[in-house]
Amino acid sequence: MRVSATKNAATKKRTLLTAAVCLGLLGGTLAAAPAASAAPAGTGGPTWSNVKVGGGGFVTGVVFNQSQPGLAYLRTDIGGLYRWNAARRTWVPLLDWTGFNDWNQLGVESVATSPEHPNRVWAAVGEYADSWNKGNNGAILRSDDYGKHWKATQLPIQLGSNDQGRDSGERLAVDPRDDDILYFASRDNGLWKSTDGGVTWAQDPAFPDLGSDSDAGLQFVTFDQTQGRRGDPSQHLVVGDADTSALYQSTDGGATWSTVGGGPGTIPIKAQFSGTGQLYVVYDTSTGPYAMGAGAVYRYAGGSGGQGGSGAHGVGAATDITPVSSTFGYDGLAVDPEHPDTVIVSTNDRWYPVDTLYRSTDGGQDWSDVSASTTLDVSSTPYLDFGAAAPKFGWWIGTVAIDPFDSNHVVYGTGSTLFGTDNLDAMDHGGTVDFSSEAVNGVEENAVNDLVVPNLRQSPCRVVSVMSDVGGFCHTSLTASPSTGMSTDPLLSSGDSVAQSADGGLMARVGTGGSDGSDGGCSTDGGVTWTPFTDPAAMTSGGGQVAVSADGGVILWSAGDGSGVYRSTDHGRSWTTATGLAAGPRPVADPGNPDDFYALDPDAGVVYRSTDGGRTFTARATGLPTGGSEQLRATPGTSGDLWLSAQDSGLLHSTDGGATWTRTTAATSSYTLGFGKAAPGSRQPTMYQVGVVGGTTGIFMSTDGAASWTRINTNAQNWGSTGQIITGDPYHFGRVYLGTNGRGIQTVDVSRPALGGE
């Protein structure tokens, strides 16, 4: 990207909710909001970096600052917030300090940047507004230094950055004429307002809809900047409401509200005023990004007369300017600040031929299909072809933005990336608009489910990954997106598990949504090329966990649909069913004895063992920790040496194939465990762990068999939920890879720590 330098609605809640919560101030049953810092104490340790993929997740919003050239923010549904660094031409992550227990706040529902004081930025954070996540409330973060450091106000309500409607907005808006005034359009609790720069918040009792339990609720707040003067609070603002399918406006600074008539009667999900006071609104049958239904685009005239004697004027008559009426939705919306009659909208859920952008230069009277005049350059992120002959223009285009200082500079976000161009006006002269995925540089939003470093030393793959939504990769470089794209044969929609034999001769991976009807495959060259499995006949869907015997002769596949644990001795061409196991166990191969496998049932707290190559299993130990998140690992090179990571019980160790277990004393919680090359002079594999040691949650390394642990991350690099997978390099002491849920693969070489920064 170049940033130019020049649930059915419930009864309404009529109880006024107030969040007068800030540092040192308690409000009723609400907890005090802690101060959060993106550069807290303890930043002198090793600096981690991403293994580059480039994007990989849903870009839900891009917001340019309207007064400072080169300043923009990008929000994601589960992967945090980024600021554009124009000098380095990269996005800089701003919320990596989010702790393990605060994972919910790595999802950004909305972002606002002040045109009055461009250094000020706010973010509304919280991933899920669902019943299973009750009590895990959201927060409004605020920063006075472009997001380098933050303070937080905890809200008594839930937010939903990864829920349906996450591409609506912006829900958080700062008054462009007085940045002490902010509004937040919540999903279930009406309109919230702050008059002190986001330090304290309260529900606005004057707003017509105080909320319901629909998890949809209010969609956006937007201000009319054509009226009033800087320093005086804006009087004219508009809010969209999914519960009532209404567009509300106030012309007296929010004191009173009225309904705007003339729309299609569906849900207003986005709106933006032009520089001449016209209001453009995107409507859909449902909120996005799934199944939005028939969408529409309307333009409201400006200046129809005010209310309350304020002198501000509300919007006027509505005109349907929908580019193409069909069954698909519309989503992204951008009005050119330099040319108020130029507007761009995106489609969504137009699966054929593909989602696109429509552009008008005459206020919506005529439209052009941008994709018809476009080339797409994905050379920096080759996986974006998704195994096809050419990449497609877009899918889930949830955001589009025009640089306020350069109308030719336009970006749009998709379900996996951000595309950008500097020559949009080429389409006005019969030329070609050049979009490139280089615009996503610096954004790494993958949810990583499993990792292995190939035991086959001659493999060019530094690490092999499986991920949600983008399948997985052979990473031959840590600093460049894989040149061969995603792993194929099969090409998986999502990868769940990858495993290998002790000698590295066979690797297997499984997932869901595989090409050609296969949800798994095996590799004999360390993850470079793959051969698809023939899926077990009794399995209805793939996923789950896979294990490979020490000699590569047996593959065990515990199917994600719970249908069974399947066994293959011919590289996945045929399968039989292992016996003696309940549904959904997690198999692990013994690294020394090819006849031995183990399986963990985390719900029952049982470890099973097989001594006949995975044909039959018997219970080996019962009464182990339960909860569902426990993980079983085997020490490389040592037969029968097992470890059990448990959130509530710490780290347990067995040296007799799982018959007896001893709880280690150093870690009180263990989320995931991995192994790497031994330290110089040691014969014990180096152990890496995400857990709690000495009361501190972090990432730790042990070179003495778990007797003691050294923390290898800082408070500035936490990345929210990191309990999926961690693994070391068997050939390089100190190199470790960490899978995150939304911030991709993180890596560091502890033997050569480096200090870095923006």
Side-chain angles (χ1 to χ4, degrees):
M1 173 183 176
R2 183 186 71 82
V3 180
S4 174
T6 41
K7 309 161 200 169
N8 300 326
T11 304
K12 287 186 177 180
K13 301 172 183 175
R14 292 300 179 186
T15 302
L16 177 64
L17 297 175
T18 302
V21 284
C22 59
L23 289 173
L25 178 63
L26 293 175
T29 60
L30 305 178
S37 173
T43 56
T47 298
W48 295 64
S49 59
N50 272 111
V51 176
K52 186 171 183 178
V53 171
F58 192 16
V59 176
T60 49
V62 174
V63 176
F64 282 94
N65 186 276
Q66 298 297 305
S67 63
Q68 180 171 319
L71 179 59
Y73 294 91
L74 178 151
R75 63 180 172 94
T76 68
D77 49 8
I78 65 170
L81 178 70
Y82 295 79
R83 185 189 68 249
W84 179 246
N85 184 314
R88 292 175 52 200
R89 300 177 62 83
T90 189
W91 293 98
V92 178
L94 301 178
L95 302 184
D96 283 356
W97 48 265
T98 304
F100 189 94
N101 294 323
D102 298 321
W103 61 267
N104 185 58
Q105 296 187 4
L106 195 59
V108 181
E109 180 141 69
S110 193
V111 61
T113 174
S114 171
E116 187 177 16
H117 301 102
N119 56 297
R120 303 185 77 181
V121 59
W122 298 262
V125 296
E127 286 190 21
Y128 298 100
D130 303 316
S131 58
W132 62 266
N133 200 36
K134 287 295 184 185
N136 206 352
N137 293 328
I140 304 293
L141 307 181
R142 63 189 185 277
S143 171
D144 291 329
D145 58 4
Y146 299 97
K148 294 179 181 178
H149 303 84
W150 297 90
K151 293 181 179 179
T153 296
Q154 303 297 326
L155 299 176
I157 63 176
Q158 292 178 293
L159 278 61
S161 70
N162 200 33
D163 283 330
Q164 187 79 341
R166 56 191 179 271
D167 45 332
S168 297
E170 292 291 321
R171 286 184 165 91
L172 181 64
V174 58
D175 190 329
R177 304 198 180 282
D178 182 352
D179 61 9
D180 280 337
I181 297 176
L182 294 97
Y183 286 88
F184 178 66
S186 77
R187 292 171 173 268
D188 293 328
N189 304 98
L191 185 66
W192 289 66
K193 184 177 182 179
S194 173
T195 59
D196 56 9
V199 178
T200 61
W201 290 82
Q203 189 188 48
D204 186 350
F207 192 74
D209 183 1
L210 294 183
S212 69
D213 287 326
S214 68
D215 292 344
L218 307 187
Q219 301 292 295
F220 62 81
V221 182
T222 190
F223 290 91
D224 181 357
Q225 299 188 48
T226 65
Q227 303 181 50
R229 58 188 179 185
R230 191 171 299 279
D232 294 334
S234 298
Q235 297 299 300
H236 188 204
L237 60 157
V238 172
V239 176
D241 191 346
D243 290 343
T244 61
S245 295
L247 193 66
Y248 296 104
Q249 71 173 339
S250 174
T251 57
D252 54 11
T256 60
W257 296 85
S258 62
T259 303
V260 177
T266 51
I267 297 172
I269 69 161
K270 282 189 174 76
Q272 188 175 338
F273 282 99
S274 73
T276 55
Q278 297 185 101
L279 179 68
Y280 292 87
V281 184
V282 172
Y283 290 90
D284 287 288
T285 305
S286 300
T287 60
Y290 303 102
M292 299 182 76
V297 183
Y298 274 63
R299 184 189 68 239
Y300 291 82
S304 66
Q307 58 179 342
S310 66
H313 300 282
V315 297
T319 302
D320 184 350
I321 59 169
T322 306
V324 177
S325 296
S326 187
T327 58
F328 55 77
Y330 287 93
D331 202 340
L333 169 68
V335 181
D336 190 339
E338 292 187 317
H339 305 284
D341 287 331
T342 296
V343 59
I344 301 174
V345 296
S346 73
T347 67
N348 204 345
D349 295 334
R350 192 182 84 155
W351 298 111
Y352 183 84
V354 71
D355 276 321
T356 189
L357 302 178
Y358 286 105
R359 175 175 176 259
S360 173
T361 58
D362 56 11
Q365 297 182 59
D366 302 287
W367 295 89
S368 298
D369 185 339
V370 176
S371 66
S373 307
T374 294
T375 61
L376 287 180
D377 177 8
V378 298
S379 58
S380 63
T381 51
Y383 77 93
L384 287 172
D385 62 13
F386 286 90
K392 55 185 178 181
F393 185 81
W395 65 103
W396 275 18
I397 304 179
T399 185
V400 60
I402 302 173
D403 188 334
F405 299 94
D406 182 357
S407 299
N408 283 317
H409 179 210
V410 174
V411 296
Y412 70 93
T414 76
S416 290
T417 194
L418 185 76
F419 286 110
T421 185
D422 293 317
N423 71 329
L424 186 68
D425 66 347
M427 63 186 299
D428 298 330
H429 313 292
T432 300
V433 180
D434 302 313
F435 277 97
S436 171
S437 63
E438 287 186 4
V440 83
N441 186 40
V443 176
E444 297 291 339
E445 199 199 344
N446 292 295
V448 183
N449 295 321
D450 208 354
L451 300 166
V452 296
V453 176
N455 290 332
L456 190 67
R457 193 157 192 172
Q458 61 265 37
S459 171
C461 307
R462 299 282 298 274
V463 62
V464 175
S465 64
V466 290
M467 304 179 178
S468 296
D469 299 328
V470 291
F473 301 88
C474 159
H475 303 267
T476 59
S477 168
L478 305 185
T479 58
S481 186
S483 60
T484 55
M486 290 189 292
S487 298
T488 58
D489 298 321
L491 183 75
L492 298 172
S493 295
S494 287
D496 282 9
S497 176
V498 59
Q500 62 182 327
S501 60
D503 63 5
L506 187 70
M507 188 178 292
R509 63 185 172 97
V510 297
T512 57
S515 57
D516 300 322
S518 175
D519 288 321
C522 63
S523 172
T524 57
D525 56 11
V528 180
T529 61
W530 298 83
T531 301
F533 290 158
T534 300
D535 285 0
M539 187 178 71
T540 58
S541 62
Q545 185 162 317
V546 67
V548 180
S549 65
D551 63 357
V554 177
I555 300 171
L556 289 186
W557 184 358
S558 180
D561 63 3
S563 59
V565 175
Y566 301 102
R567 178 179 184 271
S568 176
T569 58
D570 56 7
H571 291 189
R573 290 187 290 272
S574 63
W575 301 87
T576 58
T577 302
T579 61
L581 293 171
R586 300 169 182 173
V588 173
D590 188 280
N593 188 338
D595 290 328
D596 285 3
F597 283 90
Y598 310 94
L600 171 67
D601 183 341
D603 296 319
V606 177
V607 166
Y608 296 86
R609 182 185 184 188
S610 171
T611 57
D612 58 3
R615 294 180 180 86
T616 61
F617 283 81
T618 57
R620 183 72 165 164
T622 61
L624 295 170
T626 61
S629 61
E630 290 75 19
Q631 295 184 1
L632 184 65
R633 298 285 189 256
T635 305
T638 305
S639 184
D641 199 72
L642 304 176
W643 299 85
L644 180 65
S645 291
Q647 178 174 342
D648 296 328
S649 303
L651 186 62
L652 285 71
H653 186 209
S654 173
T655 59
D656 55 8
T660 60
W661 294 84
T662 302
R663 182 175 286 107
T664 63
T665 58
T668 55
S669 290
S670 180
Y671 302 107
T672 187
L673 181 75
F675 302 89
K677 184 178 181 179
S682 173
R683 294 184 177 181
Q684 293 182 323
T686 301
M687 301 174 71
Y688 300 96
Q689 176 184 213
V690 179
V692 180
V693 176
T696 298
T697 302
I699 305 164
F700 299 91
M701 177 177 73
S702 175
T703 59
D704 57 10
S708 62
W709 296 89
T710 300
R711 190 179 181 193
I712 58 173
N713 74 308
T714 70
N715 290 339
Q717 294 187 301
N718 284 318
W719 312 289
S721 176
T722 53
Q724 294 76 237
I725 178 67
I726 191 169
T727 188
D729 188 320
Y731 301 111
H732 184 118
F733 168 69
R735 171 63 70 181
V736 58
Y737 300 92
L738 174 73
T740 74
N741 186 37
R743 280 289 287 119
I745 306 170
Q746 301 289 338
T747 187
V748 71
D749 184 351
V750 180
S751 69
R752 295 189 299 173
L755 295 178
E758 187 180 339

